[in-house]
């Protein structure tokens, strides 16, 4: 799953793992999408849950298509 930081949101996180995740995201990714694999997975898995719950991270939806078919997703502004 791919996540993105919601820069406009603020919340005082309770768990140490959540604070670690948010600090790493702010330091390494800022506004760019990232995956949990880019961090310490064990700590990140626990921390991401609280960050999503309080809308500090947005989760990109996973898209599925028929087997063997290509998937393309375009966004325009």
């Amino acid at each position: 799953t791919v996540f993105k930081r919601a820069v406009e949101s603020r919340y005082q996180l309770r768990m140490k793992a959540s604070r670690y995740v948010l600090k790493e995201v702010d330091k390494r990714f800022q506004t760019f999408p990232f995956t949990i694999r880019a961090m310490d997975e064990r700590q990140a898995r626990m921390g991401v849950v609280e960050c999503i719950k309080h809308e500090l991270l947005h989760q990109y939806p996973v898209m599925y298509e028929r087997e063997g078919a290509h998937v393309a997703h375009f966004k325009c502004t």
Side-chain angles (χ1 to χ4, degrees), residues 36-67:
I36 291 178
R37 289 178 287 178
M39 296 180 256
D40 175 25
E41 281 195 52
R42 183 167 180 242
Q43 211 171 11
R45 285 188 189 278
M46 293 186 332
V48 163
V49 174
E50 185 180 8
C51 291
I52 290 174
K53 180 179 167 187
H54 296 292
E55 298 179 355
L56 297 173
L57 296 177
H58 293 291
Q59 197 171 1
Y60 283 104
V62 177
M63 298 184 161
Y64 296 99
E65 191 60 48
R66 288 181 290 145
E67 191 170 327

Side-chain angles (χ1 to χ4, degrees), residues 19-53:
R19 291 191 302 268
Y20 162 77
V21 167
L22 203 59
K23 186 176 98 178
E24 283 292 308
V25 168
D26 285 341
K27 184 171 70 175
R28 294 175 54 195
F29 307 107
Q30 297 163 351
T31 58
F32 296 107
F34 66 95
T35 62
I36 291 178
R37 289 178 287 178
M39 296 180 256
D40 175 25
E41 281 195 52
R42 183 167 180 242
Q43 211 171 11
R45 285 188 189 278
M46 293 186 332
V48 163
V49 174
E50 185 180 8
C51 291
I52 290 174
K53 180 179 167 187

